[in-house]
Amino acid sequence: MSDHSEQQLTAREMVRAHAYPILAALSTISLLAIALLQIPGAVKAHRYNQCIDAQVALRQASNLTGQDGPGKLIYLKAVQHCEGL
């Protein structure tokens, strides 16, 4: 783009000259807002996953007979505990 300091621009030329930076700034702001709104959900999911892992490990440590790994009942009890039911 050339420098337009000495010439008079029409309305169409003004729109063409300024649309890209305005749209780029608007899209950057909207992407930042979307990213910031994702943080609380990600923190909640992370804490929930940590709770499930800790509960499964606690319940598995009680050495239930007949199970090699965490079974469905252990997982369901862990989910029940972490959801506050």
Coordinates of all heavy atoms in Angstrom, one line a residue:
M1 N 0.8 -1.2 0.0 CA 0.0 0.0 0.0 C 0.9 1.2 0.0 O 1.8 1.3 0.7 CB -0.9 0.0 1.3 CG -2.3 -0.3 1.0 SD -3.1 -0.2 2.6 CE -4.7 0.0 2.0
S2 N 0.5 2.2 -0.8 CA 1.3 3.4 -0.8 C 0.8 4.4 0.3 O -0.3 4.2 0.8 CB 1.1 4.1 -2.2 OG -0.2 4.4 -2.4
D3 N 1.5 5.3 0.6 CA 1.2 6.3 1.6 C 0.1 7.3 1.0 O 0.3 7.8 -0.1 CB 2.4 7.1 1.9 CG 2.2 8.1 3.1 OD1 1.1 7.9 3.7 OD2 3.0 8.9 3.4
H4 N -1.0 7.4 1.7 CA -2.1 8.3 1.2 C -2.1 9.6 1.9 O -3.2 10.2 2.0 CB -3.4 7.5 1.5 CG -3.5 6.2 0.8 ND1 -3.6 6.1 -0.6 CD2 -3.5 5.0 1.2 CE1 -3.7 4.9 -0.9 NE2 -3.6 4.1 0.1
S5 N -1.0 10.1 2.3 CA -1.1 11.4 3.1 C -1.4 12.6 2.3 O -2.0 13.5 2.8 CB 0.3 11.6 3.8 OG 1.3 11.7 2.8
E6 N -1.2 12.6 1.0 CA -1.4 13.7 0.2 C -2.7 13.6 -0.7 O -3.1 14.6 -1.3 CB -0.2 14.0 -0.7 CG 1.0 14.4 0.1 CD 2.2 14.6 -0.8 OE1 2.0 14.6 -2.1 OE2 3.3 14.8 -0.3
Q7 N -3.3 12.4 -0.8 CA -4.4 12.3 -1.7 C -5.7 12.0 -0.9 O -5.6 11.5 0.2 CB -4.2 11.2 -2.7 CG -4.2 9.8 -2.2 CD -3.8 8.8 -3.2 OE1 -2.9 8.1 -3.0 NE2 -4.6 8.7 -4.3
Q8 N -6.8 12.4 -1.4 CA -8.1 12.2 -0.8 C -8.6 10.8 -1.2 O -8.7 10.5 -2.4 CB -9.1 13.3 -1.3 CG -10.3 13.4 -0.5 CD -10.0 14.1 0.9 OE1 -9.0 14.6 1.1 NE2 -11.0 14.0 1.7
L9 N -9.0 10.0 -0.2 CA -9.5 8.7 -0.5 C -11.0 8.7 -0.5 O -11.7 9.4 0.3 CB -9.0 7.7 0.6 CG -7.5 7.5 0.7 CD1 -7.2 6.6 1.9 CD2 -7.0 6.9 -0.5
T10 N -11.5 7.8 -1.4 CA -13.0 7.6 -1.4 C -13.4 6.7 -0.3 O -12.5 6.1 0.4 CB -13.4 7.0 -2.8 OG1 -12.9 5.7 -2.9 CG2 -12.9 7.9 -3.9
A11 N -14.7 6.6 0.0 CA -15.2 5.8 1.0 C -14.8 4.3 0.8 O -14.4 3.6 1.7 CB -16.7 5.9 1.2
R12 N -14.9 3.9 -0.4 CA -14.5 2.5 -0.8 C -13.0 2.2 -0.5 O -12.7 1.2 0.0 CB -14.9 2.2 -2.2 CG -14.5 0.8 -2.6 CD -15.0 0.5 -4.0 NE -16.5 0.4 -3.9 CZ -17.3 0.2 -5.0 NH1 -16.7 -0.1 -6.1 NH2 -18.6 0.1 -4.8
E13 N -12.2 3.1 -0.9 CA -10.8 3.0 -0.6 C -10.4 3.0 0.9 O -9.6 2.3 1.3 CB -10.0 4.1 -1.3 CG -10.0 3.9 -2.9 CD -9.4 5.1 -3.6 OE1 -9.4 6.2 -3.0 OE2 -9.0 4.9 -4.7
M14 N -11.2 3.8 1.6 CA -11.0 3.8 3.1 C -11.3 2.5 3.7 O -10.6 2.0 4.6 CB -11.8 4.9 3.7 CG -11.3 6.3 3.5 SD -9.8 6.6 4.3 CE -10.4 6.9 5.9
V15 N -12.4 1.9 3.2 CA -12.8 0.6 3.8 C -11.8 -0.5 3.4 O -11.4 -1.3 4.3 CB -14.2 0.2 3.2 CG1 -14.5 -1.3 3.5 CG2 -15.3 1.1 3.8
R16 N -11.3 -0.5 2.2 CA -10.3 -1.4 1.8 C -9.0 -1.2 2.5 O -8.3 -2.2 2.9 CB -10.0 -1.3 0.3 CG -11.1 -1.8 -0.6 CD -10.8 -1.7 -2.0 NE -11.9 -2.2 -2.9 CZ -12.0 -1.9 -4.1 NH1 -11.2 -1.1 -4.7 NH2 -13.0 -2.4 -4.8
A17 N -8.6 0.0 2.8 CA -7.4 0.3 3.5 C -7.4 -0.1 5.0 O -6.4 -0.5 5.6 CB -7.0 1.7 3.4
H18 N -8.6 -0.1 5.6 CA -8.7 -0.3 7.1 C -9.4 -1.6 7.5 O -9.5 -1.9 8.7 CB -9.4 0.9 7.7 CG -8.6 2.2 7.6 ND1 -8.8 3.0 6.5 CD2 -7.6 2.7 8.3 CE1 -7.9 4.0 6.7 NE2 -7.2 3.8 7.7
A19 N -10.0 -2.3 6.6 CA -10.8 -3.5 6.9 C -10.0 -4.6 7.4 O -10.3 -5.2 8.4 CB -11.6 -3.9 5.7
Y20 N -8.8 -4.9 6.8 CA -8.0 -6.0 7.2 C -7.5 -5.8 8.7 O -7.6 -6.7 9.5 CB -6.8 -6.2 6.3 CG -6.0 -7.3 6.7 CD1 -6.4 -8.7 6.5 CD2 -4.7 -7.1 7.3 CE1 -5.6 -9.7 6.9 CE2 -4.0 -8.2 7.7 CZ -4.4 -9.5 7.6 OH -3.6 -10.5 8.0
P21 N -6.9 -4.7 9.0 CA -6.4 -4.6 10.4 C -7.5 -4.6 11.5 O -7.4 -5.2 12.5 CB -5.7 -3.2 10.5 CG -5.4 -2.9 9.1 CD -6.5 -3.5 8.2
I22 N -8.7 -4.1 11.1 CA -9.8 -4.1 12.1 C -10.3 -5.5 12.2 O -10.6 -6.0 13.3 CB -10.9 -3.1 11.6 CG1 -10.4 -1.7 11.8 CG2 -12.2 -3.4 12.4 CD1 -11.4 -0.7 11.2
L23 N -10.5 -6.2 11.1 CA -10.9 -7.6 11.2 C -9.9 -8.5 11.9 O -10.3 -9.4 12.6 CB -11.3 -8.2 9.8 CG -12.5 -7.5 9.1 CD1 -12.6 -8.1 7.7 CD2 -13.7 -7.9 10.0
A24 N -8.6 -8.3 11.7 CA -7.6 -9.1 12.3 C -7.6 -8.8 13.8 O -7.5 -9.8 14.6 CB -6.2 -8.7 11.8
A25 N -7.8 -7.6 14.3 CA -7.9 -7.3 15.7 C -9.1 -7.9 16.3 O -9.1 -8.4 17.4 CB -7.8 -5.8 15.9
L26 N -10.2 -7.8 15.6 CA -11.5 -8.4 16.1 C -11.4 -9.9 16.3 O -11.8 -10.5 17.3 CB -12.6 -8.0 15.2 CG -14.0 -8.5 15.6 CD1 -14.4 -7.8 16.8 CD2 -15.0 -8.2 14.5
S27 N -10.8 -10.6 15.3 CA -10.6 -12.0 15.4 C -9.7 -12.4 16.5 O -9.9 -13.4 17.2 CB -10.2 -12.6 14.0 OG -8.9 -12.2 13.7
T28 N -8.6 -11.6 16.7 CA -7.7 -11.9 17.8 C -8.3 -11.8 19.1 O -8.2 -12.6 20.0 CB -6.5 -11.0 17.7 OG1 -5.8 -11.1 16.4 CG2 -5.5 -11.3 18.8
I29 N -9.1 -10.7 19.3 CA -9.8 -10.5 20.6 C -10.8 -11.7 20.8 O -10.9 -12.2 21.9 CB -10.5 -9.2 20.6 CG1 -9.4 -8.1 20.6 CG2 -11.4 -9.0 21.7 CD1 -9.9 -6.7 20.4
S30 N -11.5 -12.1 19.8 CA -12.5 -13.1 20.0 C -11.9 -14.5 20.3 O -12.3 -15.2 21.1 CB -13.4 -13.3 18.7 OG -12.7 -13.7 17.6
L31 N -10.7 -14.8 19.6 CA -10.0 -16.0 20.0 C -9.5 -16.0 21.4 O -9.5 -17.0 22.1 CB -8.9 -16.2 19.0 CG -9.3 -16.7 17.6 CD1 -8.1 -16.8 16.7 CD2 -9.9 -18.1 17.7
L32 N -9.0 -14.9 21.8 CA -8.5 -14.8 23.2 C -9.7 -14.9 24.2 O -9.5 -15.6 25.2 CB -7.8 -13.4 23.5 CG -6.5 -13.3 22.9 CD1 -5.9 -11.8 23.1 CD2 -5.5 -14.3 23.5
A33 N -10.8 -14.4 23.9 CA -12.0 -14.5 24.8 C -12.4 -16.0 24.8 O -12.8 -16.5 25.9 CB -13.1 -13.6 24.3
I34 N -12.5 -16.7 23.7 CA -12.8 -18.1 23.7 C -11.8 -18.9 24.5 O -12.2 -19.8 25.2 CB -12.9 -18.6 22.2 CG1 -14.1 -18.0 21.5 CG2 -13.0 -20.1 22.2 CD1 -14.2 -18.2 20.0
A35 N -10.6 -18.6 24.3 CA -9.5 -19.4 25.1 C -9.7 -19.1 26.6 O -9.6 -20.1 27.4 CB -8.1 -19.0 24.6
L36 N -10.0 -17.9 27.0 CA -10.2 -17.6 28.4 C -11.4 -18.3 29.0 O -11.4 -18.7 30.1 CB -10.2 -16.1 28.6 CG -8.9 -15.4 28.5 CD1 -9.1 -13.9 28.6 CD2 -7.9 -15.8 29.5
L37 N -12.4 -18.4 28.2 CA -13.7 -19.0 28.6 C -13.5 -20.6 28.8 O -14.3 -21.2 29.4 CB -14.8 -18.7 27.7 CG -15.3 -17.2 27.8 CD1 -16.3 -17.0 26.7 CD2 -15.9 -17.0 29.1
Q38 N -12.5 -21.1 28.1 CA -12.3 -22.6 28.2 C -11.6 -23.0 29.5 O -11.6 -24.1 29.9 CB -11.4 -23.0 27.0 CG -12.1 -22.9 25.7 CD -13.3 -23.9 25.6 OE1 -13.2 -25.0 26.0 NE2 -14.4 -23.4 25.0
I39 N -10.9 -22.0 30.1 CA -10.1 -22.4 31.3 C -10.9 -23.0 32.5 O -10.5 -24.0 33.0 CB -9.2 -21.1 31.7 CG1 -8.2 -20.8 30.7 CG2 -8.6 -21.3 33.1 CD1 -7.5 -19.5 30.9
P40 N -12.0 -22.4 32.9 CA -12.7 -23.0 34.1 C -13.1 -24.4 33.8 O -13.0 -25.3 34.7 CB -13.9 -22.1 34.3 CG -13.5 -20.8 33.7 CD -12.6 -21.1 32.5
G41 N -13.6 -24.7 32.6 CA -14.0 -26.1 32.3 C -12.9 -27.1 32.3 O -13.0 -28.2 32.7
A42 N -11.7 -26.6 31.8 CA -10.5 -27.5 31.8 C -10.0 -27.7 33.2 O -9.6 -28.9 33.5 CB -9.4 -26.8 31.0
V43 N -10.1 -26.7 34.1 CA -9.7 -26.9 35.5 C -10.6 -27.9 36.2 O -10.2 -28.8 36.9 CB -9.6 -25.6 36.2 CG1 -9.5 -25.7 37.7 CG2 -8.5 -24.7 35.6
K44 N -11.9 -27.7 35.9 CA -12.9 -28.6 36.6 C -12.7 -30.1 36.1 O -12.7 -31.0 36.9 CB -14.3 -28.2 36.2 CG -15.4 -29.0 36.8 CD -16.8 -28.5 36.5 CE -17.8 -29.4 37.1 NZ -19.2 -29.0 36.7
A45 N -12.5 -30.3 34.8 CA -12.2 -31.6 34.3 C -11.0 -32.2 34.8 O -10.9 -33.4 35.2 CB -12.2 -31.6 32.8
H46 N -9.9 -31.4 35.0 CA -8.6 -31.9 35.5 C -8.8 -32.3 36.9 O -8.3 -33.4 37.3 CB -7.6 -30.8 35.4 CG -6.3 -31.2 35.9 ND1 -5.4 -32.1 35.3 CD2 -5.6 -30.7 37.0 CE1 -4.3 -32.2 36.0 NE2 -4.4 -31.4 37.1
R47 N -9.5 -31.5 37.7 CA -9.7 -31.9 39.1 C -10.6 -33.1 39.3 O -10.3 -34.0 40.2 CB -10.3 -30.7 39.9 CG -9.3 -29.6 40.1 CD -9.9 -28.5 40.9 NE -9.0 -27.4 41.0 CZ -9.3 -26.2 41.3 NH1 -10.5 -25.8 41.5 NH2 -8.3 -25.2 41.4
Y48 N -11.6 -33.3 38.4 CA -12.4 -34.5 38.5 C -11.6 -35.7 38.1 O -11.7 -36.7 38.8 CB -13.6 -34.3 37.5 CG -14.5 -35.4 37.4 CD1 -15.5 -35.6 38.4 CD2 -14.5 -36.4 36.4 CE1 -16.4 -36.6 38.4 CE2 -15.4 -37.4 36.4 CZ -16.3 -37.5 37.4 OH -17.2 -38.6 37.3
N49 N -10.8 -35.6 37.1 CA -9.9 -36.8 36.7 C -9.0 -37.1 37.8 O -8.7 -38.3 38.1 CB -9.2 -36.5 35.4 CG -10.1 -36.5 34.2 OD1 -11.1 -37.0 34.2 ND2 -9.6 -35.8 33.2
Q50 N -8.4 -36.1 38.5 CA -7.5 -36.4 39.6 C -8.3 -37.1 40.8 O -7.8 -38.0 41.4 CB -6.9 -35.1 40.2 CG -5.8 -34.6 39.3 CD -5.1 -33.4 39.9 OE1 -5.8 -32.6 40.6 NE2 -3.8 -33.2 39.7
C51 N -9.5 -36.7 41.0 CA -10.3 -37.3 42.1 C -10.6 -38.7 41.7 O -10.5 -39.6 42.6 CB -11.6 -36.5 42.2 SG -12.8 -37.2 43.5
I52 N -11.0 -39.0 40.5 CA -11.3 -40.4 40.0 C -10.1 -41.3 40.2 O -10.1 -42.4 40.8 CB -11.8 -40.4 38.6 CG1 -13.1 -39.7 38.4 CG2 -11.8 -41.8 38.1 CD1 -14.3 -40.5 39.1
D53 N -8.9 -40.8 39.8 CA -7.7 -41.6 39.9 C -7.3 -41.9 41.3 O -7.0 -43.0 41.7 CB -6.5 -40.8 39.2 CG -6.6 -40.8 37.7 OD1 -7.4 -41.6 37.1 OD2 -6.0 -39.9 37.1
A54 N -7.5 -40.9 42.2 CA -7.2 -41.1 43.6 C -8.2 -42.0 44.3 O -7.8 -42.9 45.1 CB -7.2 -39.7 44.4
Q55 N -9.4 -41.9 43.9 CA -10.4 -42.8 44.5 C -10.2 -44.3 44.0 O -10.4 -45.2 44.8 CB -11.9 -42.4 44.2 CG -12.3 -41.1 44.9 CD -12.3 -41.4 46.4 OE1 -12.9 -42.4 46.9 NE2 -11.7 -40.5 47.2
V56 N -9.9 -44.4 42.8 CA -9.7 -45.8 42.2 C -8.5 -46.4 42.9 O -8.5 -47.6 43.3 CB -9.5 -45.8 40.7 CG1 -9.0 -47.1 40.2 CG2 -10.9 -45.5 40.0
A57 N -7.4 -45.6 43.1 CA -6.2 -46.1 43.7 C -6.5 -46.4 45.2 O -6.0 -47.5 45.7 CB -5.1 -45.0 43.7
L58 N -7.3 -45.6 45.9 CA -7.7 -45.9 47.3 C -8.5 -47.2 47.4 O -8.2 -48.0 48.2 CB -8.5 -44.8 47.8 CG -7.8 -43.7 48.7 CD1 -8.7 -42.6 48.9 CD2 -7.3 -44.3 50.0
R59 N -9.4 -47.3 46.5 CA -10.3 -48.5 46.6 C -9.6 -49.8 46.1 O -9.9 -50.9 46.6 CB -11.6 -48.3 45.8 CG -12.4 -47.2 46.4 CD -13.6 -46.8 45.5 NE -14.3 -45.6 46.0 CZ -15.1 -45.5 47.0 NH1 -15.4 -46.5 47.7 NH2 -15.6 -44.3 47.3
Q60 N -8.7 -49.6 45.2 CA -7.9 -50.8 44.7 C -6.9 -51.2 45.8 O -6.6 -52.4 45.8 CB -7.2 -50.4 43.4 CG -6.7 -51.6 42.7 CD -6.1 -51.2 41.3 OE1 -5.9 -50.0 41.1 NE2 -5.7 -52.1 40.5
A61 N -6.5 -50.3 46.6 CA -5.5 -50.7 47.7 C -6.1 -51.5 48.8 O -5.4 -52.1 49.5 CB -4.9 -49.4 48.3
S62 N -7.4 -51.6 48.8 CA -8.1 -52.4 49.9 C -8.0 -53.9 49.5 O -8.5 -54.7 50.3 CB -9.5 -52.0 50.0 OG -10.3 -52.2 48.9
N63 N -7.3 -54.3 48.4 CA -7.0 -55.7 48.1 C -8.3 -56.5 48.0 O -8.5 -57.5 48.8 CB -6.0 -56.3 49.0 CG -4.7 -55.6 48.9 OD1 -4.3 -55.2 47.8 ND2 -3.9 -55.5 50.0
L64 N -9.2 -56.2 47.2 CA -10.4 -56.9 47.0 C -10.1 -58.3 46.3 O -9.2 -58.3 45.4 CB -11.4 -56.2 46.1 CG -12.0 -54.9 46.7 CD1 -12.8 -54.2 45.6 CD2 -12.8 -55.2 47.9
T65 N -10.6 -59.4 46.8 CA -10.3 -60.7 46.3 C -11.0 -60.9 45.0 O -12.2 -60.4 44.8 CB -10.7 -61.8 47.3 OG1 -12.1 -61.6 47.5 CG2 -10.0 -61.7 48.6
G66 N -10.4 -61.5 44.1 CA -11.0 -61.9 42.8 C -10.8 -60.8 41.7 O -11.4 -60.9 40.7
Q67 N -10.1 -59.7 42.0 CA -9.9 -58.7 41.0 C -8.5 -58.4 40.8 O -7.8 -58.2 41.8 CB -10.7 -57.4 41.4 CG -12.2 -57.4 41.1 CD -12.8 -56.1 41.4 OE1 -13.4 -55.9 42.4 NE2 -12.6 -55.2 40.4
D68 N -8.0 -58.3 39.6 CA -6.6 -58.0 39.3 C -6.5 -56.4 39.1 O -5.5 -55.9 39.6 CB -6.1 -58.6 38.0 CG -6.1 -60.1 38.2 OD1 -6.0 -60.6 39.3 OD2 -6.2 -60.8 37.1
G69 N -7.5 -55.8 38.5 CA -7.4 -54.4 38.3 C -8.7 -53.7 38.8 O -9.5 -54.4 39.3
P70 N -8.8 -52.4 38.6 CA -10.0 -51.8 39.0 C -11.2 -52.2 38.2 O -11.2 -52.1 37.0 CB -9.7 -50.3 38.8 CG -8.6 -50.2 37.8 CD -7.9 -51.5 38.0
G71 N -12.2 -52.8 38.9 CA -13.4 -53.3 38.2 C -14.4 -52.2 38.0 O -14.2 -51.0 38.4
K72 N -15.5 -52.5 37.5 CA -16.6 -51.6 37.2 C -17.2 -51.0 38.5 O -17.5 -49.8 38.6 CB -17.7 -52.2 36.4 CG -18.7 -51.3 35.8 CD -19.6 -51.9 34.8 CE -20.4 -50.9 34.1 NZ -21.1 -51.3 32.9
L73 N -17.3 -51.9 39.5 CA -17.9 -51.4 40.8 C -17.0 -50.4 41.4 O -17.4 -49.4 42.0 CB -18.1 -52.6 41.7 CG -18.7 -52.2 43.0 CD1 -20.1 -51.6 42.8 CD2 -18.8 -53.4 43.9
I74 N -15.7 -50.6 41.4 CA -14.7 -49.7 42.0 C -14.8 -48.3 41.3 O -14.8 -47.3 41.9 CB -13.3 -50.2 41.9 CG1 -13.1 -51.4 42.9 CG2 -12.3 -49.1 42.3 CD1 -11.8 -52.1 42.9
Y75 N -14.9 -48.4 39.9 CA -14.9 -47.2 39.2 C -16.2 -46.4 39.4 O -16.3 -45.2 39.6 CB -14.8 -47.5 37.7 CG -15.0 -46.2 36.8 CD1 -13.9 -45.3 36.7 CD2 -16.1 -46.0 36.1 CE1 -14.0 -44.2 35.9 CE2 -16.2 -44.8 35.3 CZ -15.2 -43.9 35.3 OH -15.3 -42.8 34.5
L76 N -17.3 -47.2 39.5 CA -18.6 -46.5 39.8 C -18.7 -45.9 41.2 O -19.2 -44.8 41.3 CB -19.8 -47.5 39.6 CG -20.0 -48.0 38.2 CD1 -21.1 -49.1 38.1 CD2 -20.4 -46.8 37.3
K77 N -18.1 -46.5 42.1 CA -18.0 -45.9 43.5 C -17.1 -44.7 43.5 O -17.4 -43.7 44.2 CB -17.5 -47.0 44.5 CG -18.5 -48.1 44.8 CD -19.8 -47.6 45.2 CE -19.9 -47.6 46.7 NZ -21.2 -47.2 47.2
A78 N -16.1 -44.7 42.7 CA -15.2 -43.5 42.6 C -16.0 -42.4 42.0 O -15.9 -41.2 42.4 CB -14.0 -43.9 41.8
V79 N -16.7 -42.7 40.9 CA -17.5 -41.6 40.3 C -18.6 -41.1 41.2 O -18.8 -39.9 41.3 CB -18.2 -42.2 39.0 CG1 -19.2 -41.2 38.4 CG2 -17.1 -42.4 37.9
Q80 N -19.2 -42.0 42.0 CA -20.2 -41.5 42.9 C -19.6 -40.6 44.0 O -20.2 -39.6 44.3 CB -20.8 -42.8 43.6 CG -21.9 -42.5 44.6 CD -22.5 -43.7 45.2 OE1 -21.9 -44.8 45.1 NE2 -23.7 -43.6 45.8
H81 N -18.4 -40.9 44.5 CA -17.8 -40.1 45.5 C -17.4 -38.7 44.9 O -17.6 -37.7 45.5 CB -16.5 -40.8 46.0 CG -15.7 -39.9 46.9 ND1 -16.0 -39.8 48.2 CD2 -14.6 -39.2 46.6 CE1 -15.1 -38.9 48.8 NE2 -14.3 -38.6 47.8
C82 N -16.8 -38.7 43.7 CA -16.3 -37.5 43.1 C -17.5 -36.6 42.7 O -17.3 -35.4 42.6 CB -15.4 -37.8 41.9 SG -13.8 -38.5 42.4
E83 N -18.6 -37.1 42.3 CA -19.8 -36.3 42.0 C -20.5 -35.8 43.2 O -21.5 -35.1 43.0 CB -20.7 -37.1 41.0 CG -20.0 -37.2 39.6 CD -20.9 -37.9 38.6 OE1 -22.0 -38.4 39.0 OE2 -20.6 -38.0 37.5
G84 N -20.2 -36.3 44.4 CA -20.8 -35.9 45.6 C -22.2 -36.5 45.8 O -23.0 -35.9 46.5
L85 N -22.4 -37.7 45.3 CA -23.7 -38.4 45.5 C -23.6 -39.2 46.7 O -22.7 -39.7 47.2 CB -24.0 -39.2 44.3 CG -24.2 -38.4 43.0 CD1 -24.4 -39.4 41.8 CD2 -25.3 -37.5 43.1

